[in-house]
């Protein structure tokens, strides 16, 4: 096996490891919200979900672009054998990340009372301050992750991500139980839950430092070790005058900033829609009652969001398969192949999103009781379920546009959607409460999906047919809806009301609904055997499985 094949194989394995770690981390992060609500109640749940998007924005600002920039510059110097150059990249990145972490910590900890005033709820101060220490550690982990990714070693990043999330969830649940048993207020209990973020961040950094220590031993790196592995190759190997060392370092830092800032700004688009709710819902809902009541309403509003996040998580994991495929076709000017892959991807993700929205909306009541013990906010949960369909379209259209080289457009469209969400929140929440916020979410994601779709169709020249885009999928959704409703009637007649009946309705409803929808899709020939086989990597395996089950000719 030659060097190129070895590098390609290592890269593919690394991508698989990172993808698996990302899925596991997101799954832990999504499912942990269920015990959070069950133990702490809707008030604690509301405070947590109001503070966490703000924390996410600060983490994104501090970390989103720099690991990518670090990996790029480390990879370039590693290819040339510039050991001092790699360490200089890490040193300057760590310096900048530490500074950003300190600034983020100060903003969130010292500015917590002011932020609570801006958001419109004084119960948020303990939670804001509890999450703040995490910002001292997460950026440092990010710089080390970028370093190892530049060496095409994805294992440290994967292990640290999973460790950070697992420790965060474990500590969160432990502190929830402790403060709840001690009779703490909702603000204190939510602060304990968010303290798990800081402990998780410490665990993630500890893992990265362990990998870094092992790497130093293997590479023979010593503090203050002069020279490079291959002296004489490149300017970074030449002894620089003492006065020029700092100028070289800051020049490198400016280059990394220029590379990292656009990536960082693009990454802000997705959490920005959640941040809109952080800065609008508490104040708008406080008009209906006191501040704590507003936090309870925010908690009820957030009951359905983890379910939609599971759908978008699956969509995100699958959508990345199309980016390299379209990028390669774009380089070859293979417009027929681009049109074929785009049509297939759009159909698949529209069907996944539609089935998810219909199923979650129909099963909103039993799912609500199963997960959260009562049916409070079932109507709002049903509205929130309808964000799954446009959310899946936003995910796949963004990936397809990125594969075609349009990297910034999806981010701009999401920024516009965030503005629409803010305007509709202001208009609908005073009239409809949290259901108004859910309807605003549907409109915002729908607008982003429409903008992405319009640009994608213009780029590819596709003209979707109404029959394939709406009529046939609608018929499949109706068949699924009828089956699920009949099942619910049967379970309600057979079992007394309660969490056991809700569990049976939810699990059986999901299984039956998925089976009926899939059968209707195959029957309507919305997906052909050839199109299924054309799916990157997973298509042939799925086709073989369906043929074994005699569901596909």
């Amino acid at each position: 096996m030659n060097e190129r094949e070895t590098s390609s194989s290592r890269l593919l394995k690394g991508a698989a490891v990172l993808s698996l770690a990302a899925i596991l981390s997101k799954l832990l992060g999504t499912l942990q919200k269920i015990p959070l609500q069950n133990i702490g109640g809707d008030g604690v749940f509301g405070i947590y979900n109001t503070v966490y998007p703000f924390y996410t924005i600060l983490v994104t600002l501090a970390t989103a672009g720099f690991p990518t920039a670090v990996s790029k510059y480390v990879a370039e110097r590693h290819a040339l054998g510039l050991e001092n150059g790699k360490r200089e990249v890490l040193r300057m990145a760590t310096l900048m990340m530490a500074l950003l972490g300190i600034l983020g910590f100060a903003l969130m900890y010292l500015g917590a009372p002011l932020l609570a005033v801006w958001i419109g709820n004084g119960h948020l101060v303990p939670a804001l301050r509890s999450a703040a220490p995490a910002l001292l550690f997460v950026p440092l982990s990010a710089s080390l992750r970028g370093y190892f990714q530049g060496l095409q070693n994805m294992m440290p990043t994967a292990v640290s991500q999973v460790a950070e999330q697992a420790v965060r969830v474990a500590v969160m649940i432990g502190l929830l139980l402790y403060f709840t048993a001690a009779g703490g207020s909702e603000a204190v209990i939510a602060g304990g839950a968010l303290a798990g973020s800081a402990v998780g961040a410490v665990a993630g950094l500890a893992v990265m430092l362990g990998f870094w220590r092992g790497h130093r031993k293997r590479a023979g790196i010593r503090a203050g070790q002069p020279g490079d592995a291959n002296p004489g190759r490149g300017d970074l190997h030449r002894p620089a005058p003492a006065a020029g060392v700092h100028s070289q370092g800051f020049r490198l830092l400016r280059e990394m900033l220029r590379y990292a800032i656009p990536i960082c700004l693009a990454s802000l688009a997705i959490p920005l829609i959640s941040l809109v709710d952080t800065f609008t819902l508490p104040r708008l809902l406080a008009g209906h009652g006191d501040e704590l009541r507003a936090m309870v309403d925010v908690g009820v509003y957030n009951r359905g969001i983890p379910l939609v996040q599971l759908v978008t998580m699956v969509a995100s994991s699958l959508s990345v398969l199309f980016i390299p495929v379209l990028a390669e076709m774009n380089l070859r000017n293979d417009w027929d192949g681009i049109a074929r892959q785009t049509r297939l991807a759009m159909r698949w993700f529209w069907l996944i999103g539609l089935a998810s929205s219909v199923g979650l909306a129909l099963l909103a009541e039993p799912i609500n009781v199963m997960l959260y013990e009562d049916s409070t906010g079932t109507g709002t949960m049903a509205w929130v379920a309808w964000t799954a369909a446009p959310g899946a379209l936003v995910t796949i259209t963004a990936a397809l546009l990125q594969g075609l080289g349009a990297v910034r457009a999806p981010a701009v469209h999401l920024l516009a959607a965030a503005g629409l969400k803010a305007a509709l929140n202001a208009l609908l929440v005073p009239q409809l409460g949290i259901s108004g916020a859910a309807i605003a979410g549907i409109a915002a994601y729908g607008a982003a999906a429409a903008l992405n779709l319009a640009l994608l169709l213009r780029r590819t020249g596709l003209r979707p047919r109404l029959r394939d885009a709406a009529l046939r999928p609608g018929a499949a959704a109706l068949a699924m809806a009828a089956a699920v409703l009949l099942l619910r009637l049967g379970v309600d007649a057979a079992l007394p009301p309660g969490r056991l009946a809700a569990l049976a309705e939810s699990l059986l409803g999901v299984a039956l609904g998925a089976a009926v929808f899939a059968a209707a899709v195959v029957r309507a020939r919305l997906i052909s055997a050839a199109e299924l086989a054309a799916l990157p990597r997973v298509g042939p395996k799925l086709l073989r499985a369906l043929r074994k089950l005699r569901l596909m000719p």
Side-chain angles (χ1 to χ4, degrees), residues 161-455:
Q161 281 180 342
V162 174
E164 178 180 336
Q165 194 73 293
V167 170
R168 183 177 77 84
V169 172
V171 171
M172 181 202 77
I173 292 175
L175 290 176
L176 274 173
L177 293 170
Y178 173 77
F179 285 117
T180 302
S185 66
E186 281 86 349
V188 171
I189 296 171
L194 279 155
S197 298
V199 181
V202 172
L205 179 58
V207 170
M208 291 308 306
L209 290 174
F211 277 105
W212 170 246
R213 183 178 180 184
H215 171 72
R216 285 181 52 152
K217 287 182 177 179
R218 288 190 300 273
I221 300 174
R222 297 290 184 271
Q225 180 180 347
D228 283 291
N230 299 299
R233 293 178 60 190
D235 293 339
L236 288 177
H237 291 288
R238 298 171 187 164
V245 172
H246 294 295
S247 64
Q248 288 182 13
F250 286 114
R251 185 168 64 249
L252 172 64
L253 184 58
R254 285 196 300 271
E255 291 176 4
M256 287 195 290
L257 282 171
R258 281 198 297 268
Y259 187 84
I261 287 174
I263 299 173
C264 179
L265 293 177
S267 301
L268 286 175
I270 293 177
L272 197 59
I273 292 182
S274 298
L275 194 67
V276 168
D277 285 332
T278 291
F279 279 96
T280 58
L281 276 187
R283 191 177 297 278
L284 291 169
L285 291 170
H288 295 172
D290 59 22
E291 290 185 347
L292 184 56
R293 178 67 237 176
M295 286 294 96
V296 171
D297 288 341
V298 171
V300 173
Y301 167 71
N302 277 277
R303 286 186 175 194
I305 291 178
L307 304 174
V308 174
Q309 287 176 340
L310 285 176
V311 177
T312 55
M313 180 191 73
V314 172
S316 298
S317 302
L318 292 174
S319 67
V320 297
L321 298 173
F322 291 90
I323 296 176
V325 175
L326 259 67
E328 182 180 345
M329 290 178 174
N330 194 31
L331 286 174
R332 297 199 313 261
N333 290 321
D334 181 6
W335 291 104
D336 289 338
I338 288 173
R340 185 173 58 252
Q341 286 288 351
T342 300
R343 190 182 298 110
L344 176 64
M346 290 298 305
R347 193 181 305 164
W348 267 87
F349 280 78
W350 169 235
L351 292 173
I352 290 172
L354 178 62
S356 300
S357 282
V358 172
L360 291 175
L362 289 172
L363 295 169
E365 184 176 3
I367 289 175
N368 202 5
V369 175
M370 177 185 72
L371 297 180
Y372 303 113
E373 300 181 290
D374 59 50
S375 60
T376 305
T378 291
T380 299
M381 181 180 283
W383 281 114
V384 169
W386 286 104
T387 60
L393 282 180
V394 168
T395 300
I396 187 57
T397 50
L400 294 172
L401 287 170
Q402 288 168 13
L404 295 175
V407 178
R408 295 183 182 179
V412 173
H413 296 162
L414 277 171
L415 289 173
L420 178 62
K421 179 74 162 72
L424 289 177
N425 272 4
L427 179 66
L428 297 177
V429 172
Q431 307 299 323
L432 303 175
I434 53 177
S435 292
I439 295 169
I442 299 170
Y445 280 106
L451 291 170
N452 282 358
L453 184 60
L455 179 58

Side-chain angles (χ1 to χ4, degrees), residues 59-79:
V59 168
T60 302
L61 280 170
T63 64
F66 256 93
T68 305
V70 171
S71 66
K72 174 185 182 295
Y73 286 94
V74 167
E76 291 174 352
R77 283 151 179 77
H78 181 65

Side-chain angles (χ1 to χ4, degrees), residues 446-467:
L451 291 170
N452 282 358
L453 184 60
L455 179 58
L456 183 64
L457 295 179
R458 191 162 63 247
R459 286 286 186 100
T460 59
L462 289 174
R463 294 292 182 268
R465 293 183 295 181
L466 179 64
R467 182 181 63 178

